[in-house]
Amino acid sequence: CILQIRLHAKLLDLTADDVHELVQNCLQNVAGLATYAKYPTVVTAPHSVARGYQNILAIALATNYSFPLADEVKHALENPGLFAAAAAAPAAAASSAAPAKAAAAKAPEPEPEP
């Protein structure tokens, strides 16, 4: 009895990147199922830590409970203008530097006279 295996042409053309993508997709599926089932695994640990931080932060914001990271978030919520101005300053500097660079690039160099 000879077992015949017919491989699809796509299976023969797999690259390391394709395998990496397949494994990553599988891990995401496992993480999603385990998170939904509230089953702790190595894959769901970052999600569990982030969810725990969100819960503690919500309690700290709703009550007078305080810890350093909650104080930073409270300060950001109380003074949103400070952070908006800080975020706008680098963007404005980058946008003003771009036309200056473009003008410098477009300026023709004077030709030396004989």
Side-chain angles (χ1 to χ4, degrees):
C1 178
I2 299 175
L3 182 63
Q4 292 183 354
I5 299 175
R6 294 184 184 184
L7 296 176
H8 198 276
K10 289 182 182 179
L11 291 176
L12 298 175
D13 293 334
L14 284 179
T15 64
D17 290 336
D18 294 334
V19 174
H20 176 72
E21 184 179 339
L22 289 170
V23 170
Q24 188 173 7
N25 287 339
C26 290
L27 288 175
Q28 287 175 348
N29 290 339
V30 168
L33 288 171
T35 301
Y36 180 75
K38 297 191 183 338
Y39 185 79
T41 65
V42 173
V43 178
T44 61
H47 303 283
S48 299
V49 171
R51 191 174 357 150
Y53 172 72
Q54 290 172 350
N55 291 338
I56 292 173
L57 183 61
I59 291 169
L61 292 175
T63 63
N64 289 331
Y65 183 74
S66 180
F67 59 94
L69 292 175
D71 292 339
E72 290 179 22
V73 173
K74 287 179 183 180
H75 181 66
L77 292 174
E78 291 170 356
N79 305 313
L82 293 175
F83 295 97
S95 64
S96 66
K101 286 182 182 178
K106 290 181 182 178
E109 294 182 15
E111 294 182 15
E113 294 184 23

